[in-house]
Amino acid sequence: MSKKILAVIPARSGSKSIKNKNLIKINNKTLINIAVTKAIKSNLFSKVLISTDSEIYANEAKKAGADILELRPKNLSDGKTTLALVLRDLLLKLSSRGENYENIISLQPTSPFLSIKSIKKCVKLFFEKNASGIATISKINDFHPLTAQKIDKNGKLSFLTKPKNYKQLFPRQNRPNSYKFTGGLYLRKSKNILNYKGDGWALGKKSYGVIVPHKEAMDINYPEDIQMLNYFR
């Protein structure tokens, strides 16, 4: 039996930068609770699953209404494992139980301000365009990637990737708008994940971006992000 969209809340424990960051609370609700609740309230998904290696995280997600297949295996629980590999493992295990999903969405708990409105916009665009993948993106305002520099052992600077005509980058008003992945939402056809070879974001050849406001783009990964979180509360 094939189903439309599987929603996965990825929440690995063992963060080195912020201990138990997925249990940070906003208005007395943990980041895990917020992510699960949004997924359920959107009424868009056939199933909402937590993917975690932590019993504590799993119980927190279940209290909010998510299901859990099993705890994430150790070989998929280190900081070097890509999300696509985690999702592929889930899809294969579900398929072995007779559950097949045409599409899969991941909603990061560390993007707590991503709105249900934006989630719905992503899903709508996905089906309207018959897309292979959708990602939330945000405009880069603090620096332009075409001006990025690298430094050698002697302190000498050079372009990380030198533009063909770098003179066109000045003045800065000449620079084209640039965007980055927020990490908060990736919606993909399941076949992208099942065929994933460890390259790129597994968004396929027909991918689209949905621009979200700066607040919704927030991703909590470092201690200084906590200060920004307090600003947005």
Side-chain angles (χ1 to χ4, degrees):
M1 180 180 180
S2 182
K3 301 180 181 179
K4 283 291 184 182
I5 306 178
L6 170 68
V8 178
I9 313 297
R12 183 182 65 86
S13 66
S15 172
K16 294 181 180 179
S17 55
I18 304 175
K19 185 177 180 180
N20 293 324
K21 67 179 179 181
N22 289 297
L23 296 179
I24 291 172
K25 290 187 176 182
I26 299 176
N27 297 326
N28 294 318
K29 292 185 178 181
T30 65
L31 298 188
I32 289 175
N33 181 291
I34 292 169
V36 171
T37 300
K38 281 188 293 190
I40 293 172
K41 282 188 175 181
S42 72
N43 291 314
L44 294 169
F45 311 122
S46 305
K47 175 176 279 190
V48 178
L49 274 181
I50 177 79
S51 171
T52 184
D53 58 333
S54 164
E55 288 279 5
I56 294 173
Y57 285 6
N59 289 333
E60 180 66 19
K62 284 190 285 187
K63 284 193 296 183
D67 294 317
I68 181 166
L69 191 61
E70 59 185 48
L71 289 182
R72 192 186 298 184
K74 286 186 178 181
N75 66 309
L76 294 175
S77 299
D78 60 43
K80 297 180 181 180
T81 301
T82 63
L83 176 59
L85 290 175
V86 172
L87 299 179
R88 186 176 68 179
D89 180 69
L90 273 178
L91 286 172
L92 290 172
K93 287 176 177 174
L94 286 166
S95 181
S96 70
R97 301 182 182 203
E99 289 188 54
N100 295 291
Y101 295 86
E102 298 171 9
N103 311 293
I104 184 168
I105 191 171
S106 56
L107 298 169
Q108 292 280 137
T110 51
S111 297
F113 298 116
L114 179 67
S115 67
I116 292 178
K117 180 180 178 180
S118 291
I119 295 171
K120 289 183 175 181
K121 187 175 180 179
C122 289
V123 173
K124 181 180 179 183
L125 183 65
F126 183 75
F127 288 112
E128 283 182 348
K129 298 292 187 181
N130 191 26
S132 58
I134 298 283
T136 47
I137 59 173
S138 64
K139 187 178 179 182
I140 299 174
N141 293 316
D142 50 351
F143 82 101
H144 198 284
L146 291 178
T147 66
Q149 302 287 301
K150 59 184 177 181
I151 187 169
D152 67 16
K153 61 181 179 180
N154 296 315
K156 184 179 178 181
L157 289 173
S158 60
F159 278 101
L160 182 63
T161 303
K162 189 174 181 178
K164 291 182 178 180
N165 188 351
Y166 68 89
K167 291 182 180 180
Q168 291 183 350
L169 298 177
F170 303 95
R172 65 179 177 82
Q173 288 81 2
N174 289 348
R175 299 167 192 169
N177 289 337
S178 58
Y179 301 86
K180 62 182 178 180
F181 293 115
T182 71
L185 180 155
Y186 293 104
L187 172 56
R188 307 165 168 108
K189 288 189 178 296
S190 295
K191 64 181 181 181
N192 297 359
I193 296 296
L194 294 171
N195 295 325
Y196 181 67
K197 305 297 182 184
D199 50 337
W201 289 269
L203 289 169
K205 295 181 179 180
K206 195 179 178 184
S207 58
Y208 293 83
V210 171
I211 302 170
V212 296
H214 181 62
K215 179 178 178 179
E216 291 192 36
M218 184 181 180
D219 186 18
I220 302 170
N221 279 311
Y222 303 101
E224 53 266 32
D225 294 330
I226 301 297
Q227 297 179 4
M228 188 62 69
L229 174 64
N230 292 331
Y231 173 79
F232 280 131
R233 283 178 194 267

